[in-house]
Amino acid sequence: MKSTTVRRTGLSIAAVTLLTGVAACSSGGSEGSGDSGGSGEDGTPRFSPIAALRSAEKSTDDADSAKVESTTTMGSVMSMTADGALGWGDGLTGTLTITYTGGTMAETMRQTGSTSMEARYLPDAYYAKMGDAFAEQAGGKHWIKYAYDDLETLGGGSGAYLKDQMQNTTPNQSVKLLLASGDVRKVGEEKVRGQETTHYSGTVDVADLASQNSNLSRSQLDDLKKQLEQAGVSTETVDIWVDDQDLLVKKVEKGETTAGDFTQTAYYSDYGTDVSVDEPPASDTADFAELVKQQGLGTS
């Protein structure tokens, strides 16, 4: 397999991992600013956005699993959809069907024989099922394994951050983003797919939140910040919709990058759904780190 094709395909799949709508760009702590309730001027109880979001964070986290639908666009680079079920009770697990619907990455995926693929998430690795054209160039193997430890080694600060997110993510990361930002407001009551919900919105600084809410070392954070600056990523807006059970129903994130405007929309439903996922057969799986090593590719 040509090294350029390996690199393009690898970067495409790694981008899928990061941008599927499974998570936002933060994990860990959720200490926001602002009061958590109290009384209004007339002495009646007041439920602040911070208090409401903390309740939503806990309820969503405790649910352990959900069905997920998402769409993602990034300038002319890509547009894609993802659909499936994910669990987060003991590390991230689940299966998504990911389809590239446009952009240069869709063209890259066509070189592997398909613009749609199956993605499996296990606690220590992410697996992507490629097309027959890829298998013909990879010893007959249809799957690529991305061990999270290898992502950290190969991707520098961004790889370390991606590993941290993949091992700690849940749908309530979007709620944590708003809580950690200290900039959150209640927009109002709105219907989402027939459900009554409350809409909240805020703006977050991606680099600052990475330092607050991940387990990266100082050198990894410095590397990540440099890579974010090179990508033109600074702030993004986050909007979430929460139902009367304090569960996240919808999330929208928007930002700008050097590749163009970034928008990601995700819907969550059927909380508590059964999630079962198996590791693909080793005989049908190529290790991405080994592919890189065989082709003599660097980490840059």
Side-chain angles (χ1 to χ4, degrees):
M1 191 173 189
K2 293 181 180 179
S3 62
T4 53
T5 302
V6 172
R7 181 185 289 274
R8 285 198 304 269
T9 303
L11 290 176
S12 297
I13 306 307
V16 169
T17 311
L18 185 61
L19 301 173
T20 53
V22 184
C25 297
S26 175
S27 72
S30 58
E31 296 301 317
S33 62
D35 63 50
S36 59
S39 299
E41 292 180 0
D42 59 357
T44 58
R46 183 180 67 229
F47 201 44
S48 76
I50 296 297
L53 289 182
R54 283 183 178 147
S55 180
E57 176 195 0
K58 184 179 186 306
S59 296
T60 301
D61 189 46
D62 290 346
D64 285 347
S65 64
K67 292 183 179 179
V68 182
E69 299 173 53
S70 71
T71 59
T72 304
T73 61
M74 182 184 289
S76 61
V77 176
M78 73 168 189
S79 58
M80 51 165 282
T81 64
D83 181 69
L86 295 166
W88 52 90
D90 185 21
L92 181 68
T93 59
T95 303
L96 294 177
T97 298
I98 296 173
T99 303
Y100 281 101
T101 55
T104 55
M105 283 190 179
E107 189 57 40
T108 298
M109 286 297 293
R110 288 190 186 96
Q111 297 178 30
T112 71
S114 176
T115 56
S116 182
M117 67 179 196
E118 179 182 341
R120 295 184 186 179
Y121 299 85
L122 281 88
D124 62 347
Y126 160 81
Y127 295 82
K129 188 175 184 180
M130 312 301 292
D132 290 336
F134 173 84
E136 289 175 4
Q137 301 178 70
K141 297 179 178 180
H142 293 81
W143 292 87
I144 301 179
K145 175 184 178 180
Y146 294 85
Y148 298 144
D149 286 343
D150 290 337
L151 289 176
E152 178 178 2
T153 301
L154 295 169
S158 59
Y161 189 51
L162 178 55
K163 173 191 172 184
D164 182 88
Q165 298 311 292
M166 295 309 299
Q167 292 185 319
N168 295 287
T169 189
T170 66
N172 70 355
Q173 300 310 313
S174 298
V175 183
K176 291 182 177 183
L177 274 172
L178 291 182
L179 283 168
S181 73
D183 172 33
V184 58
R185 62 187 177 88
K186 178 180 175 180
V187 178
E189 308 298 324
E190 300 175 10
K191 277 193 175 183
V192 175
R193 294 184 168 182
Q195 285 186 273
E196 295 290 346
T197 69
T198 304
H199 179 188
Y200 300 93
S201 182
T203 302
V204 301
D205 184 298
V206 178
D208 282 352
L209 287 176
S211 65
Q212 294 176 37
N213 303 312
S214 68
N215 299 311
L216 274 61
S217 67
R218 172 48 53 193
S219 62
Q220 289 172 331
L221 285 167
D222 289 343
D223 190 19
L224 172 63
K225 187 173 182 180
K226 189 180 300 182
Q227 290 170 329
L228 288 171
E229 289 173 351
Q230 291 173 347
V233 178
S234 56
T235 63
E236 64 176 30
T237 59
V238 178
D239 289 79
I240 63 171
W241 289 257
V242 179
D243 68 11
D244 60 4
Q245 301 297 310
D246 291 332
L247 293 170
L248 183 65
V249 173
K250 179 183 177 182
K251 174 205 72 175
V252 177
E253 294 180 37
K254 295 182 179 181
E256 294 183 359
T257 73
T258 54
D261 292 341
F262 167 76
T263 302
Q264 183 182 70
T265 301
Y267 293 91
Y268 302 94
S269 63
D270 296 301
Y271 279 94
T273 190
D274 288 336
V275 174
S276 178
V277 58
D278 296 318
E279 183 177 343
S283 60
D284 197 25
T285 303
D287 190 283
F288 181 64
E290 287 301 317
L291 289 175
V292 170
K293 197 178 300 181
Q294 291 169 12
Q295 299 299 325
L297 298 178
T299 60
S300 61

